[in-house]
Amino acid sequence: MGAWRKEMNTALLLFLTTAVIGGVTGLFLPVLTLLMLGVIIRQVVQISRFEKWISTGGQSKYPKTSGIWEEIYYHVYRIKKNDKRRKKKLSKMIDQFRQSTEALPDAAVVLGVHDEIDWANKAARLVFGLQHTDKGQRIPNLIRFPEFIRYLKSGNYKEAVIMPSPVDNRITLEVRIIPYGAGLRLLLAQDVTQLKKMERMRKDFVANVSHELRTPLTVLRGYLETLQDMDDGHSPLLTSSFQQMQGQTERMQHLVDDLLLLTRLETQQKKSQCVDVPSLISQVCKEGDTIENASRRTQLILDTNAHIVGEEQELRSAFTNLLGNALKYSPKDSLVKVRWYQEKGAVVLAVEDQGEGIAKADIPRVTERFYRVETKRHKKVNGTGLGLAIVKHVLMRHDARLTITSELGKGSCFSCHFPVERICN
Ligand code: ADP
């Protein structure tokens, strides 16, 4: 502001001087023209000096000047200096970021819009065998694993993909893509060899143990049946012991069967056919009525005739478990509604009971293996804690999801949502 006032004062002074000289000499207009010319020339010289200074980057100390031009030089110089400082700070930060990502144990690759490599860290170069010279190359030309290429093209990066390292197939990688910015993606790969090995060991162990338990169990059950046949009822203690033993061996048999089924679901290849779900549900409901001795308790509502692509035996297990639970965990005289219907984007099987319900905190846990809600009533109800784990696995293999709504004292509703793309009739 001060500089402006000074500039105005100088202009006024010059004008007044011109007016006086013009008045005295009687040549006001020529003197004024001369003055204007002088002012214009001065400004042109200043602009040219400024242009010269700014064209060299405006970083060096600005030329000595006065008035408003000094202000302009000062402001531009300050902006440039701040800019330089910020740039320096930013490049230091980028350097630090690069160094930290270089040191990451997980592989990280930045992909451009055309799947080309923009940048890769050291771990990525090691596990994917990438070179510095691969920058700009399209990643599907370098990592040719079909499932990875499908994943990359799909654009659906919710789940990760498991693949062997292209450099060493003994290394298992979990590869995940994270989109960010405008069309950019970050590819992250984690070495999960140990994890997968342990998972395989756990599956093998469970499969072997359950398999090995089958034979002794069958033998035990056989002998038990013979002993029960021989029991003449003279000793009530013996009779009740046999009954208890039979109950426990049956429970163990269920456990072994459920564990074997879970192992099969985890390890076997999917086989799909077009399954007539309405007829399957009708059969399951009929069986439920006879098993639970609960005829007329189940109400079947078939709102759609949709058949879906899937594995009939697996779906039967899942539906049987859901209906079995609804019957088990609700009063003997209450109604269980089984409904097959279509809604936006999904066909749904809903099993609704009027039982005692599940507490909110337990709902997310009931699909865990061996998880059983501890209530006085449940203690009396037989179960393995594996039923809903089986349901979850079966649904996963059918791209379906399970939703559970429940209210204590009112009842529960278990719904299996199958994507409409699976409808096959
Ligand atoms: P379980 O063999 O014990 O029935 P599940 O995996 O089928 O094993 O179920 C896990 C637990 O979830 C059960 O122990 C029970 O506490 C609870 N649960 C499952 N279904 C219902 C239901 N319809 N109503 C109330 N509780 C249920």
Side-chain angles (χ1 to χ4, degrees):
M1 203 59 202
W4 266 116
R5 192 168 298 142
K6 219 166 131 191
E7 203 75 12
M8 296 302 282
N9 286 344
T10 314
L12 201 69
L13 202 71
L14 278 174
F15 182 76
L16 284 176
T17 318
T18 310
V20 171
I21 297 173
V24 172
T25 56
L27 297 166
F28 178 69
L29 264 178
V31 176
L32 187 68
T33 315
L34 220 65
L35 172 76
M36 296 304 282
L37 215 67
V39 170
I40 290 171
I41 289 170
R42 183 174 164 250
Q43 294 304 337
V44 168
V45 169
Q46 289 286 22
I47 291 172
S48 126
R49 278 171 78 193
F50 182 74
E51 193 270 337
K52 210 189 237 167
W53 177 70
I54 202 96
S55 66
T56 57
Q59 306 279 358
S60 57
K61 194 81 188 124
Y62 50 87
K64 207 162 170 51
T65 180
S66 63
I68 193 68
W69 277 102
E70 189 175 9
E71 284 285 298
I72 293 173
Y73 274 113
Y74 172 69
H75 286 309
V76 174
Y77 178 69
R78 214 189 51 204
I79 291 170
K80 286 270 177 190
K81 211 168 166 185
N82 282 346
D83 229 30
K84 197 175 161 189
R85 205 178 304 135
R86 222 173 294 139
K87 258 189 206 158
K88 217 169 160 180
K89 208 166 143 191
L90 205 70
S91 82
K92 200 172 155 196
M93 267 168 70
I94 291 175
D95 265 359
Q96 276 174 352
F97 176 73
R98 287 220 162 149
Q99 275 169 17
S100 60
T101 39
E102 270 292 305
L104 270 180
D106 294 345
V109 183
V110 174
L111 296 177
V113 270
H114 302 294
D115 300 335
E116 73 279 13
I117 299 173
D118 272 351
W119 173 84
N121 71 351
K122 193 173 158 197
R125 292 194 293 276
L126 281 175
V127 294
F128 290 129
L130 300 176
Q131 310 281 326
H132 283 288
T133 47
D134 289 332
K135 190 168 182 266
Q137 293 265 17
R138 290 187 68 244
I139 198 136
N141 295 341
L142 302 168
I143 304 174
R144 292 173 169 274
F145 192 68
E147 229 167 286
F148 168 74
I149 295 179
R150 224 173 294 134
Y151 176 63
L152 184 73
K153 277 189 188 156
S154 73
N156 177 9
Y157 305 132
K158 262 197 234 152
E159 306 268 321
V161 66
I162 303 287
M163 59 174 270
S165 153
V167 180
D168 182 350
N169 60 12
R170 285 168 304 178
I171 299 175
T172 309
L173 299 174
E174 185 183 75
V175 180
R176 186 180 293 278
I177 292 178
I178 300 149
Y180 71 96
L184 299 176
R185 281 153 302 162
L186 178 67
L187 182 148
L188 291 176
Q190 195 181 8
D191 184 343
V192 288
T193 316
Q194 278 306 321
L195 213 77
K196 288 285 156 194
K197 200 171 152 191
M198 275 161 68
E199 209 174 286
R200 211 167 27 247
M201 273 164 66
R202 174 188 64 80
K203 281 182 196 166
D204 288 351
F205 175 75
V206 174
N208 290 339
V209 169
S210 339
H211 196 76
E212 290 304 320
L213 279 175
R214 270 185 130 176
T215 322
L217 253 177
T218 319
V219 176
L220 269 179
R221 284 188 74 175
Y223 277 121
L224 210 63
E225 269 168 31
T226 318
L227 285 173
Q228 270 180 316
D229 286 346
M230 283 163 63
D231 180 23
D232 49 14
H234 283 319
S235 162
L237 179 68
L238 211 62
T239 310
S240 99
S241 302
F242 283 149
Q243 271 168 3
Q244 295 258 357
M245 282 161 81
Q246 197 203 7
Q248 291 304 322
T249 38
E250 253 171 35
R251 187 158 171 247
M252 209 156 158
Q253 184 84 50
H254 281 309
L255 249 169
V256 169
D257 288 346
D258 279 358
L259 278 173
L260 277 172
L261 178 59
L262 261 175
T263 310
R264 260 207 309 279
L265 289 173
E266 278 180 335
T267 50
Q268 257 181 17
Q269 286 277 322
K270 289 187 240 180
K271 278 182 264 149
S272 293
Q273 76 225 55
C274 194
V275 181
D276 180 351
V277 180
S279 128
L280 177 64
I281 306 173
S282 310
Q283 284 170 31
V284 170
C285 285
K286 245 182 236 156
E287 282 162 18
D289 277 355
T290 50
I291 291 167
E292 271 284 308
N293 208 1
S295 50
R296 303 215 154 266
R297 268 188 72 191
T298 36
Q299 182 189 6
L300 177 63
I301 307 161
L302 297 171
D303 282 341
T304 169
N305 183 34
H307 296 193
I308 58 165
V309 177
E311 223 282 282
E312 187 164 344
Q313 277 317 314
E314 291 182 13
L315 291 173
R316 183 189 290 276
S317 297
F319 299 164
T320 309
N321 270 310
L322 287 180
L323 181 65
N325 280 351
L327 292 168
K328 260 192 322 193
Y329 298 111
S330 61
K332 293 276 172 248
D333 53 353
S334 64
L335 197 71
V336 171
K337 253 196 244 173
V338 179
R339 187 171 162 222
W340 178 237
Y341 63 96
Q342 188 165 349
E343 59 171 30
K344 202 171 157 242
V347 259
V348 185
L349 173 87
V351 182
E352 196 181 339
D353 63 55
Q354 297 165 347
E356 54 196 80
I358 310 166
K360 233 190 187 129
D362 288 316
I363 293 180
R365 301 206 56 193
V366 287
T367 52
E368 286 174 18
R369 284 170 196 218
F370 298 111
Y371 191 82
R372 303 200 70 212
V373 181
E374 287 290 329
T375 66
K376 276 191 197 128
R377 204 186 97 78
H378 282 191
K379 271 193 185 149
K380 289 186 223 137
V381 181
N382 271 344
T384 59
L386 291 171
L388 290 179
I390 291 174
V391 174
K392 195 173 91 177
H393 259 84
V394 169
L395 294 190
M396 242 160 54
R397 280 163 70 90
H398 287 80
D399 309 317
R401 66 192 170 87
L402 178 72
T403 56
I404 308 171
T405 50
S406 187
E407 207 176 316
L408 277 177
K410 293 216 167 140
S412 317
C413 182
F414 288 74
S415 308
C416 315
H417 302 252
F418 296 89
V420 279
E421 291 77 28
R422 283 207 164 242
I423 297 180
C424 53
N425 59 330

